[in-house]
Amino acid sequence: YARRSQYRVGACRRLGIHAQAAREAEREAERFLGIALAVGLPVEDRPPEDDALCRAVLAGFPDHVARRRSLGTAACALVHGRKGRLSPHASVRHAEWFTAAEVIEIERERGEVSVELDLVSALDPAWLAEVFPEAVTSASETWYDSVNRRVMSAEVRRFHDLEVSRKILPEVDAEAAGEVLAAEMVAGRLDVPGWNENVEAWIARVNCLAAWRPDWEIPAIEAEARAFLIRQLCHGAVSLKEVKGRAVLPVVKDWLTPAQRGMVDQEAPERVNLPSGRRARIRYEEGAAPVLSATIQDLFGLTEPPRLAAGTASVVLEILGPNRRPVQVTSDLRSFWAETYPKLKTELKRRYPKHRWE
């Protein structure tokens, strides 16, 4: 058409043809044909098929292979992790796969750069393995499906890093699935079922005792250990439902030997006996003193706060009034009874006459 139009710019532009480029293409074609005839190559006096032209473009621009994200959008994914958009002037509008002979970077507002794909040719993804067999790979991939709440597996074919096909596999390797679930939990994208306050309280007791008595060589449960325990909990599980059915605390406690667990129970106990007969719970926090909350009545008869870790860690007492609100926080109980309590007693006895006061 360009030749018949004598390469007039206006006539060529109406069909989206660059007149000068078409003229240069004809010159190059004549030159190549002349070389072919000179060396005795067979030359067919007919235009090539469309597929042959598209394959030729693919062979020339393997780094410009792109796939539409969906047929309803111009957004595309290119090889090597790049993103772009189909040019509004592109003649191929409905193909899912294509090669762009021209990749244009356009600077937008605020310094953003967008990639526009033009001079595109449709391609059949089957050509990729035929033209570039070394660039097409196949591998089994496993991932967590948040919709089905389970691990899925698929055979995935890629051209470089661009996905060509994905075939869901009916079976998932249980060991690999457990690692995927654990990785999601360690990264914080999934909650660990059953990893509750009781588990965290146990870990705090272990870590506090390990810090108070390093000579006892109790292994602390830190980030790396937590990840290991989560992997143990998820081992062999394919779905989140399977993990939910597993007890967490026994797995976490198995981080220690039976002897070490006994030391935790004895030297960093969950609860201690008070003179009132009540068993009060101790709150442990790494890097801080343990805290015990109790009412004044529960503490009558106690002259010293409990001591932990063979006497090396003292408990801070959060002393509560009858309304369960703190009236004093101290680790010096003798001074509280001698100095603070007599002043508090008069006021509290007036407000709460039915309670016992000593």
Side-chain angles (χ1 to χ4, degrees):
Y1 174 86
R3 186 190 300 114
R4 291 198 307 270
S5 302
Q6 298 181 340
Y7 302 104
R8 291 193 302 274
V9 174
C12 289
R13 183 181 292 129
R14 282 196 295 272
L15 292 187
I17 298 173
H18 192 288
Q20 183 60 29
R23 187 189 297 273
E24 291 174 2
E26 183 180 35
R27 291 173 184 160
E28 289 299 307
E30 290 174 352
R31 186 171 70 86
F32 282 120
L33 286 171
I35 294 171
L37 290 169
V39 298
L41 293 176
V43 177
E44 297 182 6
D45 188 18
R46 65 181 180 84
E49 298 293 332
D50 287 347
D51 281 3
L53 288 172
C54 292
R55 285 172 182 263
V57 176
L58 168 62
F61 299 95
D63 288 344
H64 293 183
V65 171
R67 182 181 188 179
R68 297 268 289 278
R69 294 190 177 276
S70 72
L71 295 181
T73 177
C76 306
L78 287 84
V79 293
H80 309 312
R82 296 172 296 167
K83 298 177 182 178
R85 294 185 64 82
L86 196 60
S87 167
H89 308 294
S91 57
V92 177
R93 304 296 303 174
H94 304 294
E96 179 183 2
W97 288 86
F98 54 86
T99 311
E102 192 170 67
V103 176
I104 308 166
E105 290 189 353
I106 302 173
E107 187 170 346
R108 306 291 186 185
E109 296 180 0
R110 300 185 298 276
E112 296 178 358
V113 176
S114 65
V115 176
E116 196 167 271
L117 311 178
D118 206 353
L119 301 182
V120 299
S121 300
L123 69 86
D124 184 336
W127 300 346
L128 299 172
E130 297 172 9
V131 181
F132 301 104
E134 73 286 350
V136 177
T137 59
S138 181
S140 177
E141 294 187 2
T142 306
W143 73 98
Y144 177 72
D145 186 327
S146 59
V147 176
N148 294 305
R149 300 171 70 83
R150 60 177 289 114
V151 176
M152 307 288 286
S153 188
E155 191 72 23
V156 182
R157 293 179 70 247
R158 282 187 166 86
F159 176 66
H160 293 295
D161 59 346
L162 191 59
E163 186 176 305
V164 177
S165 64
R166 177 178 293 262
K167 180 183 178 183
I168 302 297
L169 299 176
E171 298 292 334
V172 180
D173 180 77
E175 185 168 345
E179 289 294 325
V180 170
L181 283 171
E184 291 293 308
M185 294 174 187
V186 170
R189 292 185 291 269
L190 277 180
D191 292 333
V192 184
W195 195 293
N196 53 27
E197 294 180 359
N198 291 335
V199 175
E200 288 295 342
W202 166 261
I203 292 174
R205 290 165 61 194
V206 171
N207 291 353
C208 284
L209 189 58
W212 295 333
R213 296 302 302 256
D215 54 314
W216 290 352
E217 298 183 347
I218 292 176
I221 302 176
E222 298 173 340
E224 188 174 343
R226 284 173 179 262
F228 172 82
L229 292 170
I230 291 172
R231 289 198 297 272
Q232 290 290 102
L233 185 67
C234 295
H235 182 72
V238 174
S239 68
L240 196 60
K241 183 178 180 181
E242 290 180 55
V243 182
K244 284 183 177 179
R246 299 177 178 180
V248 176
L249 192 54
V251 174
V252 175
K253 285 189 173 184
D254 276 345
W255 177 251
L256 304 182
T257 66
Q260 290 169 336
R261 292 198 296 270
M263 293 171 69
V264 172
D265 289 335
Q266 181 176 336
E267 303 298 339
E270 181 182 9
R271 297 178 182 273
V272 294
N273 293 321
L274 297 179
S276 64
R278 175 172 168 262
R279 286 181 56 78
R281 186 168 188 164
I282 299 176
R283 302 197 304 272
Y284 294 84
E285 183 180 345
E286 295 177 51
V291 178
L292 184 154
S293 296
T295 64
I296 294 174
Q297 284 73 22
D298 285 331
L299 298 175
F300 285 150
L302 189 69
T303 58
E304 293 288 347
R307 299 191 68 83
L308 310 176
T312 58
S314 180
V315 173
V316 172
L317 292 172
E318 185 180 60
I319 303 174
L320 311 177
N323 60 356
R324 309 298 298 181
R325 293 182 180 177
V327 295
Q328 182 78 2
V329 177
T330 183
S331 57
D332 187 352
L333 195 54
R334 289 184 182 274
S335 294
F336 171 78
W337 291 130
E339 300 172 12
T340 307
Y341 177 64
K343 300 174 185 177
L344 287 171
K345 178 180 176 180
T346 302
E347 174 62 22
L348 293 173
K349 188 175 181 180
R350 182 184 62 81
R351 294 172 58 188
Y352 304 100
K354 294 182 179 181
H355 286 72
R356 181 169 62 95
W357 303 101
E358 296 183 358

